[in-house]
Amino acid sequence: MGSAALALAGAIALPGTAQAANVLTNPGFESGAPSPWSCTGNLGSVVSSPVHGGSKSLAGAVSSSDNARCSQTVSVQPNTAYTLSGWVRGSYVYLGVDGGASTWTSSTSAYSPLSVSFTTGASQTSATVYVHGWYAQGTYYADDISLDGPGGGGGGSDTQAPSAPSGLTSTGKTSSSVSLSWNASTDNVGVTAYDIYRGSTQVLSVAGTSATVSGLSPSTGYTFSVKARDAAGNVSASSGSVSVTTNAGSGGTTFKQAAPYLYEGWGDPPNVSTVMSSTGVKWFTMAFMLDGGGCNPMWDSTRPLTGGVDQTVINQVRSAGGDIVPSFGGWQGSKLGANCSSAGALAGALQKVVDAYSLKAIDMDIENTDEFENEAVQARILTALKTVKANNPGLKTIVTFGTSTTGPTYYGNRLIEQAKSLGADIDVFTIMPFDFGGGSDMYGNTVNATEGLKAKLKSTFGWDDATAYAHIGISGMNGLSDQQENTTPAIWTQIRDWANSHHIARLAYWAVNRDRPCPGGGVVSNCSGISQSTWQFTSITAGFTG
C-alpha cells in the first residue's frame, strides 16, 4: 500500500516549492515613497515611526469610507507555492492576495506578524498582494512585507511597457494642493499603477487616473507629469507635462495670530479696551459659539448672535484696531458640530456667523466625547470647514484639540488624517498642551507635544519642517490648570520665544479672564491662582510674531 501510494505521487504534477527569495519591490518602504505599492484614496504614506525594521514603514490613513488598501502586483510562476508574510500594527489589519487567501489581526499596539500561504494557478503569471486596515479604525502601519517564492519566468515574462498616459490636465488647485487627471494607458497585460512626478521627483503612486498632490507652497509654480507601470515593472514614457501655479490663499502659510481667549459668559469679563491699551494685543479668540437650538448659532447657546454684549465687545476690539476669531465648541454645552444634522447644515450655521461679523478666521474647538472622540462628527466638522472656506476666499480655518505630552492622541491623529483624506485644507492645527497630567515641566512638555504634532503633519501631508510649523498653533493655560499644572509667566515667555523661533502660526491661552493675580487662590475663573502682574500673560502673548 505504501509503495503504491509513493508511486502514484510521483506521477502527479505537484505545486513547485517556494524558494527563499522575496519577489516584492520596496518591501520595507525604505525608498521613502510607497511606489510600487498603490494605495486607494492616496491614503498610504511612508513614515519614520513606528517602524519594525529599518528606518521607514507604511502608514495607511483609514477613513470612514476607505480602508486604505495598498497593493503591489508582481510576476509569479504558475502552479507554485508562495508564502506572504509581514508585520502590522493597528486595529483589524489585513494581509492577503487577490482572489486567494488572507489573514488579519484584531488589534495590536505593537507590531505583530501575519503570514498566509497560497499556490498559483496552472496558468497564472501575476499576483496582487495587499495590506489594508478597516473602516474608521484609525491608521494602520505595515513593514517588512515578504512574498517568498520564485519570480516570474518560464514563459511568463513581459518586457512590453505601457503606452504613455495622455491628456494630463489640472482639474483644481488650492494654496497647498493641485488635482490632476489623465487618460488611461494601454498595456498587453494591464496597467497596475500610475506614478506622479513633480519635476523629476516621484511624489505619488495611484491605481486610478486622477490624483491630488498636497503639501505645496502658495503662489508657487509646479510642473507635473505621469508615467504608467505594469505588473512586470515595465514603465511607460512620460506623459506630457502640465504647469500649475498654486493659489495665493491670502498669504498661504504666512498666517500669524496672537489671540488669547476672551469669554463674556464667565469669570468677571475684563474691559477689553483696557486690556488692549495695557498690553498691545490685537486679536482675541471669543468663546464660545454654541447651538441655540435647531442648529442655530448663539453665544453660549443663550446670548444672541448679534446685538448683545458679545457684539459690543467685538465692536470695541475693532474700534481699537484689532479683530476677533470666534471659537465654536469647547468642553461642554450644546455644540453645533454634534447637533447639526449634516455637514451642509453645519456649514450653514458657520456661514451665519461669518456673515454676521465679516470674519477673517474661525476656530473649531473640538473636545470631549461628543465631538473629538466621535469620528463621524470630526468628519462633519471638517467637511463643513472645507465648504465654508471654499465659499469665503481668504477665510482661515483653525481646529483646536487636546494632546498628550508627546503629541496627538489617537483621536488627534484621526482628526489630522481625516483632514487630509477629506481635503479640508485646514490652515492651523492648534493643540492645548495642558490638563494632560504631564507633570511639572510645562515648557518641556509643550515643546515635546508640539514636535509630536509637527511629525504627524509631516507624515500625513508630506510637508517639510517649515511648512508643518507654519500650520501649528499652541493654546496654553495661564497659571494653574485644572490638574494643578503651573505655567508661570517665565514659562509662558519661554513657550512664546520657542514659538517665534520655530515660526508657528498661532499662540493663544485660556484665558484673559484669568490673567490677574491671586496666589493661593486655586483654579478659579477670574484669576490665575499664582503671583503675577495684571494682564501679564496677555502682554507676553502680544509679543508673538511667528
Side-chain angles (χ1 to χ4, degrees):
M1 178 84 173
S3 27
L6 184 61
L8 180 62
I12 297 175
L14 297 176
T17 302
Q19 306 300 311
N22 188 358
V23 299
L24 297 177
T25 302
N26 198 19
F29 309 96
E30 297 301 315
S31 71
S35 179
W37 296 89
S38 180
C39 302
T40 58
N42 295 331
L43 297 178
S45 62
V46 172
V47 298
S48 57
S49 178
V51 300
H52 171 260
S55 61
K56 299 288 191 296
S57 65
L58 173 71
V62 172
S63 71
S64 58
S65 60
D66 197 318
N67 62 10
R69 182 182 189 268
C70 295
S71 61
Q72 181 178 153
T73 303
V74 295
S75 298
V76 294
Q77 293 186 9
N79 198 41
T80 301
Y82 288 84
T83 298
L84 174 65
S85 60
W87 293 82
V88 299
R89 173 174 172 166
S91 297
Y92 301 99
V93 189
Y94 288 71
L95 184 72
V97 58
D98 273 0
S102 66
T103 184
W104 58 281
T105 181
S106 58
S107 180
T108 176
S109 59
Y111 275 102
S112 296
L114 289 177
S115 181
V116 64
S117 296
F118 64 94
T119 300
T120 54
S123 59
Q124 184 177 353
T125 58
S126 69
T128 300
V129 300
Y130 62 81
V131 59
H132 67 73
W134 198 246
Y135 303 96
Q137 293 300 308
T139 297
Y140 72 84
Y141 301 91
D143 201 0
D144 299 327
I145 302 176
S146 176
L147 181 61
D148 286 338
S157 60
D158 170 31
T159 59
Q160 179 177 326
S163 64
S166 62
L168 177 63
T169 186
S170 171
T171 58
K173 60 180 181 175
T174 69
S175 61
S176 61
S177 68
V178 170
S179 296
L180 304 167
S181 70
W182 55 90
N183 298 324
S185 299
T186 59
D187 187 67
N188 60 319
V189 296
V191 173
T192 58
Y194 293 92
D195 299 327
I196 296 90
Y197 290 82
R198 185 180 67 211
S200 60
T201 303
Q202 183 185 333
V203 291
L204 278 179
S205 182
V206 299
T209 56
S210 63
T212 297
V213 181
S214 301
L216 306 178
S217 299
S219 302
T220 302
Y222 295 93
T223 299
F224 301 96
S225 59
V226 180
K227 296 180 181 179
R229 181 163 33 86
D230 66 15
N234 299 305
V235 178
S236 76
S238 178
S239 69
S241 62
V242 61
S243 295
V244 185
T245 298
T246 52
N247 293 340
S250 296
T253 58
T254 60
F255 177 64
K256 305 294 179 182
Q257 185 185 80
Y261 278 83
L262 180 66
Y263 194 8
E264 290 303 310
W266 167 93
D268 187 16
N271 182 292
V272 71
S273 299
T274 299
V275 174
M276 293 181 74
S277 63
S278 300
T279 66
V281 74
K282 293 296 185 183
W283 279 82
F284 294 93
T285 305
M286 293 282 290
F288 281 106
M289 188 63 68
L290 297 173
D291 182 18
C295 191
N296 184 45
M298 295 181 70
W299 296 102
D300 265 358
S301 296
T302 58
R303 301 190 303 279
L305 174 60
T306 59
V309 62
D310 300 272
Q311 177 158 30
T312 298
V313 169
I314 292 170
N315 292 344
Q316 291 173 343
V317 171
R318 288 178 167 173
S319 295
D323 211 338
I324 66 100
V325 51
S327 184
F328 295 76
W331 179 254
Q332 59 190 4
S334 183
K335 304 172 192 175
L336 290 162
N339 292 345
C340 292
S341 60
S342 66
L346 177 58
L350 300 181
Q351 188 65 51
K352 289 180 182 178
V353 186
V354 172
D355 291 341
Y357 291 106
S358 301
L359 296 174
K360 298 174 184 175
I362 56 175
D363 170 52
M364 299 297 292
D365 191 336
I366 307 173
E367 300 189 51
N368 219 322
T369 56
D370 55 348
E371 289 191 330
F372 188 55
E373 297 181 13
N374 186 319
E375 295 179 30
V377 173
Q378 282 191 8
R380 182 187 305 159
I381 291 171
L382 292 166
T383 304
L385 288 174
K386 178 181 179 180
T387 300
V388 174
K389 185 169 185 175
N391 292 336
N392 299 271
L395 182 74
K396 298 299 181 181
T397 53
I398 304 162
V399 291
T400 300
F401 52 98
T403 182
S404 75
T405 57
T406 57
T409 62
Y410 169 84
Y411 288 105
N413 285 328
R414 287 294 294 125
L415 182 70
I416 294 166
E417 291 156 8
Q418 292 205 94
K420 170 66 163 60
S421 65
L422 293 168
D425 197 22
I426 299 299
D427 291 288
V428 184
F429 295 86
T430 300
I431 52 170
M432 296 183 287
F434 60 89
D435 284 354
F436 44 31
S440 59
D441 184 9
M442 295 305 288
Y443 170 74
N445 287 338
T446 297
V447 169
N448 289 339
T450 310
E451 289 289 358
L453 173 60
K454 180 205 72 173
K456 180 61 179 178
L457 295 178
K458 287 180 64 178
S459 65
T460 301
F461 293 98
W463 293 333
D464 59 18
D465 280 0
T467 305
Y469 283 129
H471 285 83
I472 285 176
I474 294 173
S475 183
M477 188 168 182
N478 61 312
L480 295 181
S481 75
D482 304 293
Q483 296 185 11
Q484 300 295 312
E485 301 151 330
N486 187 4
T487 300
T488 65
I491 290 172
W492 189 238
T493 301
Q494 281 186 290
I495 292 170
R496 182 207 61 192
D497 292 346
W498 184 92
N500 278 335
S501 67
H502 289 76
H503 310 299
I504 73 169
R506 185 169 187 259
L507 187 66
Y509 77 89
W510 180 262
V512 179
N513 306 61
R514 302 179 68 246
D515 194 12
R516 294 174 272 214
C518 59
V523 182
V524 291
S525 62
N526 62 354
C527 58
S528 64
I530 65 172
S531 177
Q532 62 157 96
S533 301
T534 301
W535 320 134
Q536 187 172 3
F537 283 88
T538 306
S539 296
I540 295 167
T541 306
F544 171 74
T545 60

